[in-house]
């Protein structure tokens, strides 16, 4: 027996009814951010929310830099999506930020490749090496930081 796979939920009529207005607001905000800041950046996880914002940035011509973190743990489909995105939007200069290879090597040599499963402390250390340090580097010269995180994804 095959398992039931996740399917895209149906979109309500209310969502479609408000879509044009939401798009207008998004384009206005993108333009406002690009006008008010010298080096705005979108940290994209390549999730659907980030792709909606990326689409608006590209279509509006806003000067907002888009980057993603390549942690070294991403699946091949994620990398393939990034390549498809660059092909679909030829004017998009999607930049990848990688963890420091020496820090990764030292961490894995000392603790093991999958040590982040062993303790909260090792998970935090791995996260710092693979995500936080590259994110800080990516945002070093930014004066505005955009993310596609939804309200219900934050505290």
């Amino acid at each position: 027996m095959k398992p039931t796979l996740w399917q895209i939920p149906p979109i309500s009529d209310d969502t479609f009814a408000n879509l044009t207005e939401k798009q207008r607001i998004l384009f206005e905000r993108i333009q406002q951010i690009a006008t008010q800041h010298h080096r705005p950046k979108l940290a994209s996880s390549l999730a659907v929310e980030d792709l909606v914002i990326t689409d608006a940035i590209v279509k509006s011509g806003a000067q907002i830099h888009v980057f993603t973190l390549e942690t070294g743990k991403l699946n091949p489909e994620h990398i393939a999506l990034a390549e498809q995105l660059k092909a679909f939007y030829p004017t998009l200069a999607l930049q990848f930020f990688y963890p420091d290879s020496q820090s990764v090597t030292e961490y894995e040599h000392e603790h093991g490749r999958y040590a982040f499963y062993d303790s909260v402390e090792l998970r935090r250390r791995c996260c710092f090496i693979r995500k936080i340090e590259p994110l800080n580097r990516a945002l070093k010269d930014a004066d505005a930081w955009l993310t596609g995180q939804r309200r219900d994804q934050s505290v």
Side-chain angles (χ1 to χ4, degrees), residues 25-122:
I25 292 169
L26 175 59
F27 274 77
E28 280 181 9
R29 287 183 180 167
I30 292 293
Q31 287 300 325
Q32 180 183 27
I33 291 165
T35 301
Q36 290 179 345
H37 299 279
H38 300 291
R39 294 280 303 157
K41 293 186 176 186
L42 168 64
S44 175
S45 66
L46 304 179
V48 67
E49 298 86 359
D50 294 317
L51 295 179
V52 167
I53 295 170
T54 300
D55 182 74
I57 289 169
V58 173
K59 287 180 178 174
S60 71
Q63 296 300 305
I64 298 176
H65 184 79
V66 181
F67 70 91
T68 191
L69 303 179
E70 210 302 40
T71 64
K73 295 287 186 185
L74 300 178
N75 60 48
E77 293 84 3
H78 195 98
I79 304 300
L81 176 60
E83 295 305 318
Q84 291 172 348
L85 188 64
K86 290 193 300 187
F88 191 78
Y89 297 112
T91 60
L92 177 65
L94 179 65
Q95 186 175 7
F96 289 83
F97 280 83
Y98 300 87
D100 176 71
S101 59
Q102 183 176 349
S103 296
V104 170
T105 301
E106 288 171 3
Y107 173 88
E108 289 183 354
H109 179 74
E110 186 175 338
H111 304 290
R113 186 175 174 134
Y114 300 103
F116 52 87
Y117 289 123
D118 295 340
S119 73
V120 171
E121 179 184 335
L122 289 174

Side-chain angles (χ1 to χ4, degrees), residues 113-153:
R113 186 175 174 134
Y114 300 103
F116 52 87
Y117 289 123
D118 295 340
S119 73
V120 171
E121 179 184 335
L122 289 174
R123 188 166 34 260
R124 286 182 178 147
R125 179 73 187 137
C126 182
C127 187
F128 179 84
I129 292 168
R130 293 184 181 274
K131 297 177 183 176
I132 296 172
E133 189 280 327
L135 178 63
N136 287 339
R137 215 174 339 111
L139 295 173
K140 185 171 71 172
D141 61 343
D143 65 342
W145 171 19
L146 289 79
T147 177
Q149 189 173 27
R150 297 185 313 263
R151 276 187 210 116
D152 61 337
Q153 292 174 317

